[in-house]
Amino acid sequence: MVGAGAIGSPLAAGLVSALPEAEIIVVDGDLVERSNLPRQPWFSLKDLGRPKARVLAEALGSKRIYPRVERVDEAFAWPRVDLVMDGTDNWAARLTIQKFARHTGIPWLFSGAVRWEGQVAWMAPEGPCLACLFGSELTEGLRCFEAGVVGMVTLAVAGQALALAQKWLIDPKSAELHRLYLLEGRQGRIWSVGLPQGRCPHIYG
Amino acid sequence: MDDALLDQYSRQILLDDVGYDGQELLLRTTVEVEGLEPFRGWAQRYLAAAGLQVSVAPEPGESFPNGVRVLVAGRLIREIPLPGNWGEALNRLGLDLAVFLLDLLGELEGV
Ligand SMILES: [Zn+2]
């Protein structure tokens, strides 16, 4: 779980409850800030200034959560994992995740939220990749600290990511994994678009 | 709101649908949640984190065993039936609580 923030917190909490076998490594180098509290309800005022990953692990109180207070960048020493979940809010971190996942041949789960909207996609080793979904120029859109975001929407995004992970465990070839999920919190709607079949043409060194 | 609260709720205040006045209204409003655990507890966390005062019904689990209900001043505002699958339940809960928040803001601002 990369990121112990607005998506990573409920996702880690949901994983612990939904998957009794799962061991979850939560990586986040950031410290708890006051403006995080509306979207990270496992944190409280007494946690301000403490590492998010550690606070989350303590709050969830599970022996199956392993916090790592580190940044995920080129220098990050990746552990052996079966799946990487994206709870970050920027393309640089996602590209680092994608590079590792492709190199290792494991899937990863893309997720993001801003304002009242969210997106979730299962990223299989053979594709799609971020370039398939968003084009090769990943221009940074408005991030939540500029545009605002609703905590309930980040919860919904985490729920959808967890639902896809559960589907994968039951049927790794499920067609439901090959879609981009779009969430809209003002109307409480979720819908999905099918992704092109076949192997993704993009190559990552 | 003092500076600390402004900072705390800044990402919500940035939203057109909330704004400074909307956040002030949320901070002054009490909602009640009841229904199925552990999802009632999740709803309570997220509503409180958004700035609402949250109270729990005396027998919170018995009134609505299929999901979560949110009430304001004893009046049912939103009933959220939840599927049995964890991921789908959290997804539904999050989306319906978002709609609840928007409806509540519309109602509070209309008073
Ligand atoms: Zn691609």
Side-chain angles (χ1 to χ4, degrees), chain A residues 129 132 200 202:
Chain A
C129 72
C132 291
C200 132
H202 305 98

Side-chain angles (χ1 to χ4, degrees), chain A residues 95-110:
Chain A
L95 286 166
T96 308
I97 294 170
Q98 176 166 277
K99 191 171 164 188
F100 165 74
R102 283 244 159 161
H103 188 74
T104 330
I106 60 167
W108 69 284
L109 247 167
F110 162 81

Side-chain angles (χ1 to χ4, degrees), chain A residues 2-3 7-8 72-74 78 84-102 108-114 117-121 123 128-131 133-134 138-144 154 157 204:
Chain A
V2 182
I7 294 172
V72 169
D73 55 20
E74 290 293 320
W78 286 91
V84 184
M85 292 180 144
D86 158 35
T88 71
D89 66 347
N90 67 89
W91 294 120
R94 290 179 182 129
L95 286 166
T96 308
I97 294 170
Q98 176 166 277
K99 191 171 164 188
F100 165 74
R102 283 244 159 161
W108 69 284
L109 247 167
F110 162 81
S111 46
V114 69
E117 288 108 50
Q119 296 179 330
V120 182
M123 312 295 261
C129 72
L130 290 172
L133 295 184
F134 304 107
L138 293 168
T139 42
E140 207 73 70
L142 284 175
R143 287 162 66 182
C144 70
T154 59
V157 165
Y204 295 83

Side-chain angles (χ1 to χ4, degrees), chain B residues 1 6 9-26 105 109:
Chain B
M1 274 180 280
L6 264 176
Y9 297 107
S10 54
R11 307 303 186 265
Q12 287 182 176
I13 294 170
L14 273 171
L15 299 162
D16 290 341
D17 305 285
V18 184
Y20 182 91
D21 293 342
Q23 188 62 54
E24 290 250 289
L25 289 169
L26 292 178
L105 282 162
E109 277 161 8

